[in-house]
Amino acid sequence: MGIARTAKIESVAKLAARIPDGASLALGGSFLHRGPFALVRELIRQQRRDLEIIKQSPGYDIDILCRAGAVRRARTGIVAMEGNFGLAPWYRRAIENGDVELEEHACATLTAGLRASAFGVPFMPCGGIHGSALAELNGWQKLPDPYGNAGETYVIPKIRPDFAIVLANEVTEQGDARVFGTSHWDRIMTRAADRVLVVAERQVATDTFRERPELTLVPHFMVEAAAVLPNAGWPGSCWPDYEVDYPAVEAYLGRDEAALADHLAAAPEAREEIAHV
Amino acid sequence: MSESWSPFAYIVTNLARFIRPHEVTFSGVNSSLPMLACLLARRAYDFDFTYINVAGGVDPIPSSVPISSSDPVLAEGSTAIFGNEDFYDLCTRGGMDLCFLGAAQVDGRGRTNVSAIGDWHHPKVRLPGGGGGAVMLPTAKRSVTWRTEHSRRTMVETLDFVTAAGGMHGVVTPIAVFVKQNDRLALASWHPESSLEEVRERTAFDFEAGQARPTESPTQREIEALAALDPERRFETDAAIVLRKEAV
């Protein structure tokens, strides 16, 4: 059964309140690009704990969640701030201290696990991996080709996130969402997860979507709720609407406690909260 | 030499020299130097090749060179968005000719560690992770990596962790270019201001060097292409790569 075609737009705070402690979250985007960062920060304000983060290439998002002590487990392929900022410092410390448990993937193995969930099967073959110590580390199994045409292939177990959370350029009142430019792994995440939440830069008339239905990444019946907030991907980019705000990323990386508080206060959804009071 | 070949320009130029006509070449995340190499090859070489990147770009015409090698500007002017799932699938089905992949440590077989320094379970340094490496290194036709530091802790006899196997076709450092030969990395050439002895001294694994000689100097077109891509030497300054550490 799909989700009813009712009005689904709500505040970022209400969207975040749907996510309980301990939930597993597939976060859209890649590094500093097209991440649903407003919702990520709202989870910190709401003091969420024990989250599992599932993302091929997180950076700022997993770092700030680790900095706030909100993460229990990470399932990732590559983690960095990118640009000239190098490693994600609070994520790195959380792994080195053992505060966060890591399931290290190659990006494509994480995708394979998500595909298994999306396709409704318990595991998914994935090319490559041979010779990598990640296989033994994660207990990944190899299967022979039952048709006898090829050698052994690794199979990755299903990964089913509780939530997929993506940043869209546009959303309708009913929750249809579309993305301009690359959607990274957002599509497979929305098919793999149990529930889908959308953060969008703007709301547009449903007729706009009817004109170009092939641009829609997620149809409304799969979307539980959505929030509309311009600049929601700040300090990252959201093509073609805005680029990375590098000074803001640099300010976030400030070592003192105030840097985090200042960063959270400067975020676009912080102003939304004031507007809603 | 009248003007020295900066280690930054040395790495970018020698990465670009691995690019071949009519092939599909890929640059990924955290990969400013390969991104510059692909853009340099476009300008400096007369042949055509297909450049795809992690931002979904297919032969893009970016209006600027971004700090982040996954920046969506790298899909500007592209006639298609060839996204993350697509380029991984292309690679595993054998359609990726040349793939630039990052590494923290490289061993003599061209395997890489991008996971951890020290024990994986109790790391001294938690590294970013291999991204596509474990899947792409064994399935791409050729993969090439780069190290901005050439030392016995980066060019190792034994990796702290084998993130990706399958073997690099090429490795470029500030002082040397290695190319795979009989499943081992062999020295192809050294920086004109370095030497075979220095490369041996700073490499922990054994390697063949029978064919090795000083690297051919950059051509005028290679020099001009890089100057056009990095006119204010912003990338060169940020990368802060040195030929060798100053003696203390």
PDB file of all heavy atoms in Angstrom, chain A residues 213-228:
ATOM      1  N   PRO A 213       7.611  14.216 -16.173  1.00  0.00           N
ATOM      2  CA  PRO A 213       7.600  13.160 -15.147  1.00  0.00           C
ATOM      3  C   PRO A 213       8.902  12.364 -15.090  1.00  0.00           C
ATOM      4  O   PRO A 213       9.230  11.788 -14.049  1.00  0.00           O
ATOM      5  CB  PRO A 213       6.423  12.264 -15.567  1.00  0.00           C
ATOM      6  CG  PRO A 213       6.208  12.547 -17.021  1.00  0.00           C
ATOM      7  CD  PRO A 213       6.586  13.991 -17.216  1.00  0.00           C
ATOM      8  N   GLU A 214       9.646  12.334 -16.213  1.00  0.00           N
ATOM      9  CA  GLU A 214      10.890  11.544 -16.220  1.00  0.00           C
ATOM     10  C   GLU A 214      11.970  12.157 -15.324  1.00  0.00           C
ATOM     11  O   GLU A 214      12.961  11.506 -15.012  1.00  0.00           O
ATOM     12  CB  GLU A 214      11.404  11.384 -17.663  1.00  0.00           C
ATOM     13  CG  GLU A 214      11.948  12.642 -18.314  1.00  0.00           C
ATOM     14  CD  GLU A 214      10.860  13.511 -18.932  1.00  0.00           C
ATOM     15  OE1 GLU A 214       9.668  13.256 -18.691  1.00  0.00           O
ATOM     16  OE2 GLU A 214      11.221  14.468 -19.637  1.00  0.00           O
ATOM     17  N   LEU A 215      11.771  13.394 -14.910  1.00  0.00           N
ATOM     18  CA  LEU A 215      12.758  14.017 -14.011  1.00  0.00           C
ATOM     19  C   LEU A 215      12.532  13.646 -12.546  1.00  0.00           C
ATOM     20  O   LEU A 215      13.363  13.931 -11.692  1.00  0.00           O
ATOM     21  CB  LEU A 215      12.694  15.547 -14.144  1.00  0.00           C
ATOM     22  CG  LEU A 215      13.135  16.148 -15.484  1.00  0.00           C
ATOM     23  CD1 LEU A 215      13.026  17.664 -15.429  1.00  0.00           C
ATOM     24  CD2 LEU A 215      14.551  15.717 -15.833  1.00  0.00           C
ATOM     25  N   THR A 216      11.399  13.030 -12.240  1.00  0.00           N
ATOM     26  CA  THR A 216      11.081  12.730 -10.842  1.00  0.00           C
ATOM     27  C   THR A 216      11.932  11.578 -10.326  1.00  0.00           C
ATOM     28  O   THR A 216      11.959  10.507 -10.941  1.00  0.00           O
ATOM     29  CB  THR A 216       9.592  12.401 -10.688  1.00  0.00           C
ATOM     30  OG1 THR A 216       8.833  13.515 -11.176  1.00  0.00           O
ATOM     31  CG2 THR A 216       9.234  12.147  -9.232  1.00  0.00           C
ATOM     32  N   LEU A 217      12.611  11.805  -9.217  1.00  0.00           N
ATOM     33  CA  LEU A 217      13.466  10.776  -8.611  1.00  0.00           C
ATOM     34  C   LEU A 217      12.632   9.831  -7.758  1.00  0.00           C
ATOM     35  O   LEU A 217      12.834   8.621  -7.777  1.00  0.00           O
ATOM     36  CB  LEU A 217      14.550  11.445  -7.758  1.00  0.00           C
ATOM     37  CG  LEU A 217      15.581  10.514  -7.128  1.00  0.00           C
ATOM     38  CD1 LEU A 217      16.618  10.086  -8.163  1.00  0.00           C
ATOM     39  CD2 LEU A 217      16.275  11.197  -5.949  1.00  0.00           C
ATOM     40  N   VAL A 218      11.712  10.381  -6.976  1.00  0.00           N
ATOM     41  CA  VAL A 218      10.868   9.573  -6.093  1.00  0.00           C
ATOM     42  C   VAL A 218       9.417  10.017  -6.247  1.00  0.00           C
ATOM     43  O   VAL A 218       9.116  11.201  -6.091  1.00  0.00           O
ATOM     44  CB  VAL A 218      11.239   9.750  -4.595  1.00  0.00           C
ATOM     45  CG1 VAL A 218      10.778   8.552  -3.776  1.00  0.00           C
ATOM     46  CG2 VAL A 218      12.710   9.995  -4.407  1.00  0.00           C
ATOM     47  N   PRO A 219       8.509   9.102  -6.556  1.00  0.00           N
ATOM     48  CA  PRO A 219       7.092   9.465  -6.639  1.00  0.00           C
ATOM     49  C   PRO A 219       6.460   9.579  -5.251  1.00  0.00           C
ATOM     50  O   PRO A 219       6.942   8.982  -4.288  1.00  0.00           O
ATOM     51  CB  PRO A 219       6.488   8.307  -7.436  1.00  0.00           C
ATOM     52  CG  PRO A 219       7.387   7.148  -7.188  1.00  0.00           C
ATOM     53  CD  PRO A 219       8.764   7.705  -6.926  1.00  0.00           C
ATOM     54  N   HIS A 220       5.397  10.331  -5.184  1.00  0.00           N
ATOM     55  CA  HIS A 220       4.786  10.686  -3.893  1.00  0.00           C
ATOM     56  C   HIS A 220       4.395   9.483  -3.053  1.00  0.00           C
ATOM     57  O   HIS A 220       4.473   9.521  -1.838  1.00  0.00           O
ATOM     58  CB  HIS A 220       3.565  11.591  -4.139  1.00  0.00           C
ATOM     59  CG  HIS A 220       2.540  10.976  -5.033  1.00  0.00           C
ATOM     60  ND1 HIS A 220       1.639  10.043  -4.608  1.00  0.00           N
ATOM     61  CD2 HIS A 220       2.291  11.147  -6.362  1.00  0.00           C
ATOM     62  CE1 HIS A 220       0.865   9.668  -5.625  1.00  0.00           C
ATOM     63  NE2 HIS A 220       1.249  10.323  -6.706  1.00  0.00           N
ATOM     64  N   PHE A 221       3.962   8.369  -3.695  1.00  0.00           N
ATOM     65  CA  PHE A 221       3.452   7.254  -2.881  1.00  0.00           C
ATOM     66  C   PHE A 221       4.536   6.579  -2.057  1.00  0.00           C
ATOM     67  O   PHE A 221       4.255   5.817  -1.161  1.00  0.00           O
ATOM     68  CB  PHE A 221       2.720   6.225  -3.780  1.00  0.00           C
ATOM     69  CG  PHE A 221       3.617   5.348  -4.598  1.00  0.00           C
ATOM     70  CD1 PHE A 221       4.081   4.131  -4.083  1.00  0.00           C
ATOM     71  CD2 PHE A 221       4.008   5.711  -5.878  1.00  0.00           C
ATOM     72  CE1 PHE A 221       4.909   3.309  -4.831  1.00  0.00           C
ATOM     73  CE2 PHE A 221       4.837   4.895  -6.629  1.00  0.00           C
ATOM     74  CZ  PHE A 221       5.298   3.698  -6.111  1.00  0.00           C
ATOM     75  N   MET A 222       5.813   6.895  -2.386  1.00  0.00           N
ATOM     76  CA  MET A 222       6.918   6.335  -1.602  1.00  0.00           C
ATOM     77  C   MET A 222       7.421   7.300  -0.531  1.00  0.00           C
ATOM     78  O   MET A 222       8.269   6.922   0.285  1.00  0.00           O
ATOM     79  CB  MET A 222       8.085   5.999  -2.542  1.00  0.00           C
ATOM     80  CG  MET A 222       7.800   4.806  -3.467  1.00  0.00           C
ATOM     81  SD  MET A 222       9.077   4.616  -4.745  1.00  0.00           S
ATOM     82  CE  MET A 222      10.551   4.398  -3.749  1.00  0.00           C
ATOM     83  N   VAL A 223       6.937   8.528  -0.559  1.00  0.00           N
ATOM     84  CA  VAL A 223       7.486   9.556   0.340  1.00  0.00           C
ATOM     85  C   VAL A 223       6.551   9.782   1.522  1.00  0.00           C
ATOM     86  O   VAL A 223       5.366  10.067   1.339  1.00  0.00           O
ATOM     87  CB  VAL A 223       7.702  10.873  -0.429  1.00  0.00           C
ATOM     88  CG1 VAL A 223       8.165  11.980   0.518  1.00  0.00           C
ATOM     89  CG2 VAL A 223       8.711  10.666  -1.549  1.00  0.00           C
ATOM     90  N   GLU A 224       7.113   9.642   2.716  1.00  0.00           N
ATOM     91  CA  GLU A 224       6.300   9.795   3.924  1.00  0.00           C
ATOM     92  C   GLU A 224       6.045  11.258   4.262  1.00  0.00           C
ATOM     93  O   GLU A 224       4.932  11.638   4.622  1.00  0.00           O
ATOM     94  CB  GLU A 224       7.015   9.106   5.093  1.00  0.00           C
ATOM     95  CG  GLU A 224       6.278   9.175   6.403  1.00  0.00           C
ATOM     96  CD  GLU A 224       6.998   8.390   7.487  1.00  0.00           C
ATOM     97  OE1 GLU A 224       7.262   7.189   7.277  1.00  0.00           O
ATOM     98  OE2 GLU A 224       7.316   8.969   8.543  1.00  0.00           O
ATOM     99  N   ALA A 225       7.069  12.068   4.145  1.00  0.00           N
ATOM    100  CA  ALA A 225       6.934  13.485   4.488  1.00  0.00           C
ATOM    101  C   ALA A 225       8.091  14.261   3.882  1.00  0.00           C
ATOM    102  O   ALA A 225       9.131  13.676   3.543  1.00  0.00           O
ATOM    103  CB  ALA A 225       6.930  13.677   6.001  1.00  0.00           C
ATOM    104  N   ALA A 226       7.903  15.563   3.748  1.00  0.00           N
ATOM    105  CA  ALA A 226       8.941  16.403   3.157  1.00  0.00           C
ATOM    106  C   ALA A 226       8.970  17.757   3.862  1.00  0.00           C
ATOM    107  O   ALA A 226       7.961  18.219   4.409  1.00  0.00           O
ATOM    108  CB  ALA A 226       8.681  16.596   1.659  1.00  0.00           C
ATOM    109  N   ALA A 227      10.147  18.367   3.839  1.00  0.00           N
ATOM    110  CA  ALA A 227      10.296  19.733   4.347  1.00  0.00           C
ATOM    111  C   ALA A 227      10.843  20.595   3.219  1.00  0.00           C
ATOM    112  O   ALA A 227      11.608  20.106   2.379  1.00  0.00           O
ATOM    113  CB  ALA A 227      11.248  19.765   5.537  1.00  0.00           C
ATOM    114  N   VAL A 228      10.444  21.843   3.183  1.00  0.00           N
ATOM    115  CA  VAL A 228      10.933  22.770   2.164  1.00  0.00           C
ATOM    116  C   VAL A 228      11.750  23.854   2.856  1.00  0.00           C
ATOM    117  O   VAL A 228      11.254  24.538   3.760  1.00  0.00           O
ATOM    118  CB  VAL A 228       9.772  23.397   1.378  1.00  0.00           C
ATOM    119  CG1 VAL A 228      10.297  24.442   0.402  1.00  0.00           C
ATOM    120  CG2 VAL A 228       8.994  22.313   0.636  1.00  0.00           C
TER     121      VAL A 228
END
